[in-house]
Amino acid sequence: MAGWDVHTHLIPPTVLSAAHKGEFGLSVDSGSLVVDGQRLPLRRLADPAALLHWVAEQELDGAVVSVPPALFRYDAGVEWAELVNQGLRELATPQLRVLGQLPLLDPEAPAVAASLAGEGVFSGYALGTPSYEGLDAVWQVLHAVEAFTLIHPGHSDDKRLESFYLTNLLGNPYETGLAAASLVFADVPGRFPGIRFCLCHGGGVTAALAGRWQRGIDTARPGIEPPSLPVADALRRFYVDDLVHDDAVLELLGSTFGADRVLAGSDWPFPMGSDSVSSARAVAAGELTAPLAKEVVAP
């Protein structure tokens, strides 16, 4: 089988080095990276060889790598993004294509995005789910280079989710849906059609709420300025991964986003990921995971 897993994670070696030195507020304790109060067990997250073993085991062409969401750290600014991106450069190989880190809420974010686009190393960007308000300058850069842009949920601040692992089971799908809604209602897919957004975890709650969003537009609910595209058309400009653990939901993704917009994504190596990649949904080599200049990533 040939294809790419678009949703895998590694901790960049530069981050590990900084943690061992106690820099950037990081530390290593009992085999885990400690970052902003969260613990990331190192093991496979710090082992590119283990990811390459997964690629071989699944008979894939390769994997698209982004950092775990705990490392987005948008309050840490440009210096943090530089540290992460240097580590991602070190991870990049023909079989491991990397998604760049942006200091998304910093004024320098558009310049960083443009700089990464010109390197020929990065195959796109990975974004978390903070507020997307005021990011048109970033979207313009991503549109111009037709960037593959993975949207991965960050941690929800809702304290009601602290029981039953709901921060992940419910919080993550909600965060992704919130990001998608923010993009749709701000008309980002209509105004910046070059961006190839890909929503993790099947887009979270997005497909289930698409009709409700359109109803809000149709009935002129407060605060809504009708975007240039109906919700159904806007969502057809997104990609999603297939990580939903439910065949019925997978069918809903096909009808909502389009069957050709549902990509293979495992969330390797996290426990809530999948145990295998479907050959039917693996991404064709070089199609969506090509770098920003739409050429094959050089070794």
Side-chain angles (χ1 to χ4, degrees):
M1 151 182 157
W4 289 79
D5 182 343
V6 300
H7 181 181
T8 70
H9 299 287
L10 285 171
I11 297 172
T14 50
V15 173
L16 292 174
S17 177
H20 284 292
K21 297 174 184 176
E23 298 172 345
F24 290 93
L26 305 173
S27 63
V28 175
D29 178 63
S30 301
S32 292
L33 174 69
V34 182
V35 49
D36 300 330
Q38 299 185 59
R39 299 178 69 89
L40 295 175
L42 294 177
R43 299 194 297 273
R44 292 189 295 172
L45 270 175
D47 188 357
L51 178 51
L52 289 170
H53 178 76
W54 163 263
V55 167
E57 181 181 62
Q58 299 298 312
E59 300 180 354
L60 295 165
D61 289 316
V64 182
V65 177
S66 55
V67 298
L71 299 185
F72 288 141
R73 304 185 87 195
Y74 290 130
D75 59 347
V78 174
E79 188 177 9
W80 172 254
E82 290 175 346
L83 177 81
V84 172
N85 286 325
Q86 180 53 40
L88 289 166
R89 291 182 188 98
E90 295 172 15
L91 289 172
T93 72
Q95 285 188 293
L96 298 181
R97 292 175 174 172
V98 295
L99 300 179
Q101 169 90 358
L102 295 181
L104 193 60
L105 306 183
D106 190 280
E108 293 299 312
V112 173
S115 177
L116 295 182
E119 290 187 24
V121 174
F122 295 90
S123 291
Y125 310 96
L127 307 183
T129 52
S131 169
Y132 290 159
E133 187 175 358
L135 293 183
D136 276 9
V138 175
W139 304 142
Q140 182 57 53
V141 174
L142 273 56
H143 162 73
V145 297
E146 300 185 10
F148 180 79
T149 304
L150 190 76
I151 302 291
H152 195 294
H155 181 77
S156 174
D157 293 328
D158 190 336
K159 300 299 183 183
R160 295 172 299 172
L161 301 176
E162 293 179 355
S163 300
F164 312 116
Y165 198 58
L166 292 180
T167 52
N168 186 301
L169 301 182
L170 183 58
N172 278 15
Y174 163 78
E175 286 289 322
T176 306
L178 178 59
S182 299
L183 295 170
V184 168
F185 285 105
D187 199 26
V188 174
R191 293 185 295 124
F192 304 101
I195 306 174
R196 296 176 292 170
F197 287 110
C198 180
L199 306 173
C200 287
H201 311 131
V205 300
T206 301
L209 296 178
R212 186 173 182 85
W213 295 353
Q214 186 61 53
R215 180 65 176 174
I217 294 171
D218 293 343
T219 57
R221 295 300 83 204
I224 295 177
E225 292 290 335
S228 66
L229 298 172
V231 172
D233 291 348
L235 294 184
R236 290 262 168 171
R237 297 195 176 184
F238 287 86
Y239 294 88
V240 294
D241 73 19
D242 63 354
L243 189 59
V244 293
H245 309 292
D246 188 322
D247 287 342
V249 176
L250 197 56
E251 291 182 14
L252 176 61
L253 299 186
S255 63
T256 300
F257 299 96
D260 61 338
R261 296 268 168 167
V262 182
L263 313 178
S266 69
D267 205 5
W268 186 97
F270 286 104
M272 286 300 296
S274 61
D275 298 324
S276 64
V277 173
S278 167
S279 60
R281 294 186 293 274
V283 184
E287 180 184 349
L288 288 176
T289 52
L292 304 176
K294 297 185 289 185
E295 300 171 352
V296 177
V297 177

